[in-house]
Amino acid sequence: MKKILIDTTGYAVEDIYLDETIALGQNGAVWTSYWVKEKGGNERIYIDVDATTGKLVQFTRFMDDNPKETAVGIISEKEALKKAEAFINTVAPEVQGHISKANEYQVDDSLPPQVMNHVFHFVRVENEIPFLENYLQVIVDSQGEIGSYSRKWYDGELPSPVPAISAEEAGRRWDESVKPALHYVYTGEQIGKYGLPQKKMILAYAYDEKAPVFIDAMTNQPMTFLGESISQQSPMIPIGTSTRTMGKEHKKLTDYEKSEKADEIARTMFQAERDHQTSGSIAAVSWDGFGEGSSSRATAFHYVRPAQGKEKAMRFHLGMDDYGEVTSFSVEEEHSETENRIYPNPIPYEKAQAIAADFIKKFYPDRQGELYAIHLPPTEESKKWLFQRNGGYYITFGWLKQGIPVQNLETGVTVDPVNGEVKGMYTFPAYQSLEMIQGQKAGIDEQKAKQVEKGNKELRLTYFMPYPEWRNGTYLVSREPKLVYRMVGDDGVVDADSGKWVSYTAYKQSKIPEDIAAHPHYLELLYAVKDGYFPVINSQLDPDQPVTRGEFLRILLKAQQSYDFFPDEYEVAGEKQFFTDIDKAHPLYETVQDAIERGLIQATTSNKQFGPDRNLTNAEANEMISRLLKGSGDKKGALSVFSTGQPTKIMTKADVARLLMELKSYADSTKQE
């Protein structure tokens, strides 16, 4: 391993190993090392170095998130850029003259809005042609430290920079062959009352991985994100015709009802019985480029199918959500059964896809008309890695809402490549469940949508590296760059109703507050936004706005989870203990239920009203904080931020931000005791 161009003074190497898994943007194996602080603190460093060239591929520094006492010293963007450029000159001097200005081009990095960090992308440019999939990313934190560095750089030979067709020819070809299609897409959360986020899908014109989006500059053929040359997009054909009855109530099931339904599926499909010795829950989160995760929680029911004839015994689990939908299936295998396993003579992908379709039809007999197969066969060279990582073919199915695909709502099925048995099934958490998506109609056609797109982007000659099939990292075409014409500019979609451009870039920028820089509690407010306590709407936080009791309860529950102030005992939030002004239809019902169970609030015979819309007072905040600390075994039960000031003082966002800063410092101090 060559010398690392990173200062590791004060750190000791904890682990180092050769990672031969080729990830997106890598050229081959990398040496991965893990370093920890020798004295004090929990700071650590991860470093990836290309095993062949010795170039730094990835660097990440995790530092103790100790809040600063003052805002003095928070670095400006201009100063941060100098730090980033100096770092690149140290670790990658050979790229000088081959990269763009910082953030000159947009790249698909899927980073959430950075409130306290500065993010810079330097895109590779060769022969005055940008290569948008090749770039250096540098993140500089608020103190001027390099928090992260990533190098996405293809070391092989690039195609000829001379296109076989002109920009005018490519433009005509793009006009006739590239067609955005209707999709239900997620374009960012809407903030409801009490600061509760609401995730809604809108009908928009967009492109999926099987749609033509580029024009090959050498062949004049349309090309997909995955690098496939196609003349036109294949239609999305449902795997069946049955659909769930429109307007059917999306009703939650009791634990007993879920158990009964899961048992019936296990008996009918697998002739299996419940293994009552094992049970649990399954939590899943999927993240988008906005940093707004979508989560799901399911109950895991475990089963055993005894050996029958030639069939060996099988253990598996079914994951079922609160509405009785099966979200996962997984065969439980011993590590010895899968370690170093080889897969001779694998069945064809098409056969595995048919097996997966038959399997999924049994799980969703009334929804076959809402599911369609996405044809994503891996290349021969990527099969080995795919089988070792997933244990088989990964077959993808998309979901339809009234015949229109729902972006990022998918179910994957793993099929053993040798014996054709289904090993697993998993449905990604939805931003908005299929039942809750409101059916919409388009107000514009695809030609109008293309005109709107042209108003926000321009067709340019670029290098292009085909994307991997991102769900499992395998490539569908040979992994080599191409020369293409593509739309370059703002990232977004066209709203199919209004015909307006929905900018993802503008949305992410709108999450960074612009009205707190001159506030006396700027630093506390900045941390509160960074940690997700206060939503920012249209770049405005309104720091002196009063906080309601309902909003504070939401914030306090999040703080309890973030700082590990969990109660020693939980209460049962029965109807008698509930507040009369919070019924099951109230948006805060589940929040209040959690808070009662965790001992943060309590209804009494003399006070059955919670008053979620009433402004929070100093005394009320103090009472909830006392319950939070005492419930977790802490006897102090109060913070100094409340020791002064009138009990009837109305708490603002700035006041609550100060409280959260002190609560975080207090939590950190208790961990060190």
Side-chain angles (χ1 to χ4, degrees), residues 656-672:
V656 173
R658 290 175 59 211
L659 158 67
L660 291 168
M661 181 78 87
E662 187 170 348
L663 191 61
K664 177 176 176 58
S665 297
Y666 179 72
D668 290 341
S669 67
T670 57
K671 291 178 182 178
Q672 297 172 8

Side-chain angles (χ1 to χ4, degrees), residues 219-520:
T219 66
N220 201 23
Q221 291 299 306
M223 185 184 297
T224 70
F225 286 122
L226 302 174
E228 298 174 296
S229 293
I230 60 172
S231 56
Q232 62 181 9
Q233 186 173 1
S234 301
M236 298 173 185
I237 302 175
I239 62 174
T241 58
S242 60
T243 57
R244 185 159 292 176
T245 304
M246 295 298 295
K248 183 178 179 180
E249 184 182 2
H250 198 43
K251 179 184 175 183
K252 283 189 176 182
L253 303 185
T254 65
D255 290 343
Y256 176 76
E257 289 171 331
K258 285 189 293 184
S259 175
E260 288 290 297
K261 186 172 182 179
D263 288 351
E264 178 64 23
I265 292 173
R267 283 192 295 266
T268 303
M269 287 188 62
F270 306 102
Q271 296 77 52
E273 296 296 331
R274 179 84 70 87
D275 181 357
H276 291 281
Q277 295 180 351
T278 55
S279 62
S281 63
I282 304 170
V285 177
S286 59
W287 296 95
D288 56 29
F290 306 138
E292 298 165 358
S294 181
S295 61
S296 68
R297 185 171 296 277
T299 303
F301 298 100
H302 295 257
Y303 297 92
V304 178
R305 184 190 69 189
Q308 299 175 354
K310 295 182 179 180
E311 290 185 344
K312 62 180 181 179
M314 179 177 73
R315 290 183 177 273
F316 65 93
H317 84 255
L318 293 176
M320 182 170 287
D321 67 16
D322 289 341
Y323 298 93
E325 298 287 358
V326 176
T327 59
S328 65
F329 161 81
S330 180
V331 175
E332 299 167 8
E333 296 180 299
E334 297 291 338
H335 181 65
S336 58
E337 295 182 76
T338 58
E339 188 179 20
N340 300 320
R341 184 180 175 185
I342 59 174
Y343 300 90
N345 304 316
I347 62 176
Y349 173 85
E350 289 73 17
K351 183 175 181 179
Q353 190 176 54
I355 292 170
D358 288 340
F359 181 84
I360 208 168
K361 286 178 182 179
K362 296 176 183 178
F363 268 124
Y364 302 107
D366 60 340
R367 312 198 73 168
Q368 296 176 20
E370 300 171 358
L371 283 156
Y372 68 99
I374 303 176
H375 193 65
L376 299 168
T379 59
E380 288 299 320
E381 61 185 354
S382 65
K383 279 183 180 178
K384 179 181 177 182
W385 183 85
L386 171 65
F387 295 163
Q388 288 178 345
R389 181 179 186 272
N390 285 349
Y393 287 108
Y394 187 86
I395 311 298
T396 305
F397 296 87
W399 287 84
L400 302 166
K401 175 73 174 185
Q402 298 177 9
I404 297 173
V406 180
Q407 202 173 69
N408 297 328
L409 180 55
E410 295 171 351
T411 296
V413 178
T414 302
V415 179
D416 189 296
V418 178
N419 59 32
E421 293 180 357
V422 172
K423 295 296 184 182
M425 184 197 77
Y426 177 75
T427 297
F428 286 86
Y431 297 113
Q432 189 179 19
S433 67
L434 206 63
E435 292 79 8
M436 298 300 293
I437 297 174
Q438 296 294 319
Q440 303 164 42
K441 293 184 178 180
I444 62 170
D445 60 18
E446 66 181 39
Q447 290 303 318
K448 174 62 178 177
K450 288 179 71 171
Q451 292 175 14
V452 174
E453 183 180 2
K454 283 184 175 181
N456 292 274
K457 296 185 176 186
E458 63 173 330
L459 194 67
R460 290 194 56 175
L461 183 68
T462 74
Y463 291 110
F464 164 65
M465 176 64 81
Y467 283 59
E469 199 285 288
W470 64 270
R471 297 165 198 79
N472 48 55
T474 63
Y475 280 79
L476 309 186
V477 299
S478 297
R479 188 175 179 270
E480 58 186 27
K482 301 177 183 293
L483 191 67
V484 303
Y485 286 96
R486 66 168 126 176
M487 283 294 183
V488 176
D490 193 19
D491 188 20
V493 295
V494 179
D495 187 315
D497 178 34
S498 67
K500 294 181 179 179
W501 181 254
V502 181
S503 170
Y504 292 162
T505 309
Y507 174 76
K508 290 171 72 170
Q509 189 62 35
S510 75
K511 293 296 182 179
I512 300 176
E514 297 178 353
D515 61 343
I516 64 173
H519 199 280

Side-chain angles (χ1 to χ4, degrees), residues 126-146:
E126 303 286 358
N127 306 303
E128 299 184 351
I129 301 173
F131 193 166
L132 301 185
E133 288 73 38
N134 274 206
Y135 56 84
L136 306 181
Q137 179 198 80
V138 185
I139 299 180
V140 183
D141 70 16
S142 61
Q143 308 309 305
E145 295 285 343
I146 304 298

Side-chain angles (χ1 to χ4, degrees), residues 95 97-101 104-105 122-132 134 153 158 460 463:
V95 305
H98 299 273
I99 54 176
S100 69
K101 296 178 182 178
E104 182 178 353
Y105 299 97
F122 303 85
V123 169
R124 182 180 183 181
V125 179
E126 303 286 358
N127 306 303
E128 299 184 351
I129 301 173
F131 193 166
L132 301 185
N134 274 206
W153 204 276
L158 297 181
R460 290 194 56 175
Y463 291 110

